[in-house]
Amino acid sequence: MDLGGEARSRRTDKGFTGLVTFAGLTVLIVLGLILATTSVQAWPAIAQDPVQFVTGSRWSPSDEVFGTLSFLYGTLVTSVIGMIIAVPVSIGIALFITEVAHRRSRKYIVTVIDLLATVPSVVFGLVGSLVVVPWITPAYQWFADLVEPIPGLSTVFDQTNTGRNYFTAGLILAVMCIPIITSISREVFATVPEIDKQGAYALGATRWEMIKGAILPHSFGGLVGASMLGLGRAMGETIAVSLVIGGAVGMSANVFAPGNTMAAVIAQQWGEAGDLHRDALIGIGVLLFAITVLINFLARVVVRRAEIQMKGAHS
Amino acid sequence: MTALHSQTPPDLSGRNLSFGRALANRTATIAIGLCVVIAALPLALVVWQVVSKGASAWSLEWFTAEIPRNYRTEGPGMGPAIVGTLAITGMAALLSIPVGVLGAVYLNEYGKNKPLARFIRTMSDVMTGVPSIMMGLFIYVGYVIVIDDQNGFAGALALACLMLPIVIRSTEEMLRLVPDELRQASSGLGARKWRTTMGVVLPAASSGITSGSLLAVARAAGETAPIIIVVGLFYGYRPDLFDGSNTTLAAQIFRNASQPFAASQERAWGAALTLIAIVFVFTILSRIVAARFAIDKR
């Protein structure tokens, strides 16, 4: 009888349980610490005028005036442009992979999307700022001329002299969000019961009618969640945006005008910022953190609920 | 006539579709196919531009020489950034992978469906969505201000925060694939839970864990935002991560791309090609590991 060994082994077991539990808790600890430490650090800059910090559109570090509204606006505009492009394209790709492609070509397409996801964002920014911007500026001018006579459209797509603007940033964000939206959409489509699809075909539906009648209604909730995850990603994207957004303070209804986003302004101004200016930039980070965490949390809840609903209906 | 030849089945092939339905179906299929092309174009553009513009920068000296301090100075040198990228990312992997794997062990072997485990699972999903620049700001406040110096280790800490949720979630997926019979057989032989976990479950999932971790490393190696916040800027070799400011390829691309000078832009392209090559190697390694040592999916 080796009772000492038995006791030691039990202690090891307990210790191991504690160790892994602590490892699991690190996620919560880190998230909590992020929120706590950055909020405390940013407080001096925010406390000057907390309302003005969110609703003010004047950002003048030399006068110690920090209003982030124009960056909030830029974040919103660029990510909405990105989503308008990325969501339909991603859903299309996911449909192509799950419903149209043959087994062999499916593998290649998945590889292409995976590779797109591995390209570092700074490389997108590099190609965007040095290649796409010079190419695309004449296209913007042409389009602005084209819609000139149409009121409304001529405000949104107004004349421009620079390719570094909201729209270019939105384009790059779209490319960067396609992989994540595609992969979640595929997961969502995979939960559509085979029997529904076969049933639609058996009733004589074409492939498009099957997609419209069986897949899309089933997946709507999940697709909303997938798009929200993409939105969260787009809002937090920093480097690629900061290279192509132009770095202007202000809000313009013209999507061809230069601006700035919350994440990008931090990266651009960090290097030359003084103490209070840095605290204000950290404050922007806290605001961004709160927004993205909220969106991500809601998106996960939506996706999970949609999944449960579908599996529940099937089993 | 169908009445006369009632034995012949009706023609159900697509030829009998009404024009409108056939057109809708054809249009939709083409549109769906176009989406794939739209996604492939930017990838092709990036690869083409980076390879064609970056390749000319590559030379033996490129990989060894120090980085020119002046934007306008022509010529090679990214050695310190390559070493910095590998050292900082490697340190981040050392910090995050053990914690992440153990965290996943908690989720899949201990916590399972307990409320705490479910909460941690959701929050690590949420954490993967936290903007990377936020990890930089966090480490800046929590570490850089405290020690009053920017250094490579701070970058490693920020990247580790970024990798942690990715490692946790991918490891958990792999642990879930380990068949329960293995756990039962092990405890049937009298092994305690920690022995079962360390001796049976983790080895069985090791290839998947390695593959997932390599992917996380690949993603971290290309991160820029946290690096420019906490690592600062340096032009020479600094393999010691605690010895002041450092640099990485991603940070160099960002710095050089925002300059109007041809010499610095050429270095940015060269650095981009180098970075993509490194990320690509990690991604391929991850695939090889995943394909060669895959556990049976039951």
Side-chain angles (χ1 to χ4, degrees):
Chain A
M1 275 276 190
D2 182 12
L3 287 174
E6 173 73 17
R8 193 169 62 229
S9 158
R10 196 178 303 139
R11 261 205 311 278
T12 319
D13 209 32
K14 272 224 173 104
F16 189 72
T17 310
L19 181 72
V20 296
T21 312
F22 180 74
L25 284 172
T26 44
V27 169
L28 304 183
I29 297 170
V30 170
L31 275 177
L33 279 177
I34 291 177
L35 188 61
T37 55
T38 50
S39 304
V40 168
Q41 182 69 30
W43 188 243
I46 301 175
Q48 291 185 343
D49 197 342
V51 179
Q52 196 64 24
F53 189 77
V54 183
T55 60
S57 57
R58 186 158 164 253
W59 177 268
S60 175
S62 50
D63 305 327
E64 303 197 338
V65 175
F66 304 108
T68 55
L69 190 65
S70 72
F71 308 135
L72 250 167
Y73 174 81
T75 299
L76 202 70
V77 170
T78 51
S79 13
V80 166
I81 294 172
M83 286 307 102
I84 289 175
I85 302 165
V87 169
V89 171
S90 308
I91 292 175
I93 299 168
L95 283 174
F96 192 88
I97 294 171
T98 51
E99 300 304 327
V100 181
H102 299 288
R103 180 159 295 192
R104 199 177 305 159
S105 53
R106 186 178 306 169
K107 231 173 61 186
Y108 291 118
I109 298 163
V110 171
T111 309
V112 166
I113 304 298
D114 285 352
L115 282 177
L116 201 60
T118 59
V119 175
S121 72
V122 69
V123 176
F124 279 121
L126 175 72
V127 175
S129 67
L130 297 187
V131 179
V132 175
V133 163
W135 282 359
I136 212 167
T137 313
Y140 288 157
Q141 278 155 353
W142 170 80
F143 194 75
D145 287 339
L146 190 74
V147 299
E148 182 98 67
I150 309 165
L153 275 186
S154 61
T155 320
V156 179
F157 303 103
D158 206 353
Q159 295 297 336
T160 182
N161 49 17
T162 172
R164 293 173 199 256
N165 55 36
Y166 293 123
F167 197 83
T168 312
L171 277 180
I172 293 203
L173 287 178
V175 174
M176 298 182 66
C177 293
I178 284 175
I180 179 151
I181 306 180
T182 303
S183 88
I184 310 271
S185 301
R186 276 177 60 205
E187 279 172 34
V188 172
F189 291 153
T191 62
V192 176
E194 192 61 24
I195 198 160
D196 286 20
K197 299 195 233 169
Q198 297 303 337
Y201 279 134
L203 288 170
T206 62
R207 179 156 53 209
W208 171 236
E209 285 160 352
M210 185 279 288
I211 290 171
K212 235 176 19 176
I215 295 186
L216 291 182
H218 231 104
S219 321
F220 185 74
L223 293 180
V224 171
S227 312
M228 285 169 69
L229 281 179
L231 182 68
R233 176 70 50 93
M235 295 180 88
E237 179 43 49
T238 311
I239 291 300
V241 172
S242 81
L243 284 169
V244 298
I245 188 83
V249 181
M251 289 180 280
S252 169
N254 177 11
V255 295
F256 294 155
N260 221 334
T261 71
M262 301 169 78
V265 77
I266 304 174
Q268 284 172 0
Q269 301 191 350
W270 187 260
E272 61 256 30
D275 278 344
L276 191 66
H277 188 180
R278 281 202 171 174
D279 293 349
L281 292 173
I282 294 171
I284 296 183
V286 175
L287 209 57
L288 183 65
F289 177 75
I291 297 172
T292 48
V293 164
L294 191 71
I295 289 181
N296 269 285
F297 189 79
L298 288 176
R300 295 290 173 184
V301 170
V302 169
V303 170
R304 194 153 300 164
R305 182 170 297 169
E307 269 171 12
I308 290 168
Q309 239 170 29
M310 262 174 273
K311 282 176 190 154
H314 191 45
S315 59
Chain B
M1 50 196 176
T2 38
L4 287 174
H5 307 279
S6 52
Q7 303 95 322
T8 47
D11 182 10
L12 289 177
S13 70
R15 261 166 294 155
N16 258 5
L17 282 177
S18 73
F19 176 73
R21 293 177 63 202
L23 184 73
N25 190 39
R26 188 59 63 83
T27 316
T29 308
I30 291 173
I32 288 171
L34 252 161
C35 291
V36 177
V37 178
I38 292 176
L41 277 179
L43 182 68
L45 176 72
V46 165
V47 171
W48 168 48
Q49 289 293 323
V50 170
V51 171
S52 68
K53 295 190 170 156
S56 57
W58 275 19
S59 62
L60 185 62
E61 217 184 324
W62 170 262
F63 295 98
T64 55
E66 296 203 341
I67 305 162
R69 277 162 195 265
N70 193 320
Y71 291 117
R72 276 172 254 211
T73 312
E74 298 222 7
M78 266 306 145
I82 297 170
V83 172
T85 302
L86 294 177
I88 290 173
T89 317
M91 177 63 91
L94 278 181
L95 292 169
S96 66
I97 292 173
V99 179
V101 169
L102 287 178
V105 164
Y106 168 74
L107 289 182
N108 198 57
E109 309 292 317
Y110 289 82
K112 297 200 175 89
N113 269 327
K114 285 183 197 158
L116 176 65
R118 294 227 302 260
F119 186 58
I120 292 177
R121 213 168 275 136
T122 309
M123 289 324 272
S124 44
D125 279 344
V126 167
M127 195 172 164
T128 52
V130 170
S132 61
I133 193 156
M134 209 47 213
M135 305 303 183
L137 295 177
F138 165 52
I139 297 302
Y140 178 81
V141 175
Y143 178 79
V144 173
I145 289 186
V146 174
I147 65 159
D148 197 24
D149 191 18
Q150 296 184 309
N151 64 24
F153 187 69
L157 280 174
L159 293 186
C161 291
L162 214 63
M163 290 169 69
L164 179 67
I166 309 176
V167 175
I168 288 188
R169 294 301 273 148
S170 70
T171 305
E172 201 201 349
E173 292 294 316
M174 293 307 140
L175 293 179
R176 203 175 287 156
L177 293 178
V178 176
D180 253 345
E181 287 90 330
L182 283 182
R183 298 186 181 89
Q184 286 154 5
S186 173
S187 35
L189 289 170
R192 289 203 175 267
K193 194 155 186 181
W194 75 274
R195 284 229 120 206
T196 306
T197 305
M198 295 302 285
V200 177
V201 178
L202 282 179
S206 60
S207 64
I209 296 172
T210 315
S211 153
S213 305
L214 281 169
L215 266 189
V217 169
R219 201 187 137 190
E223 268 305 334
T224 319
I227 301 294
I228 59 174
I229 301 288
V230 299
V231 173
L233 183 60
F234 196 64
Y235 305 92
Y237 284 98
R238 277 253 169 95
D240 180 1
L241 294 181
F242 293 93
D243 181 29
S245 296
N246 216 312
T247 194
T248 70
L249 285 166
Q252 286 297 327
I253 300 172
F254 180 64
R255 194 176 77 93
N256 283 307
S258 16
Q259 296 302 322
F261 310 112
S264 77
Q265 289 185 359
E266 196 184 318
R267 274 198 290 282
W269 287 111
L273 183 59
T274 316
L275 178 61
I276 283 194
I278 291 176
V279 170
F280 193 67
V281 165
F282 278 118
T283 313
I284 294 288
L285 272 181
S286 141
R287 294 214 158 193
I288 292 174
V289 171
R292 282 193 60 183
F293 308 99
I295 24 173
D296 286 337
K297 292 187 187 177
R298 306 206 170 189

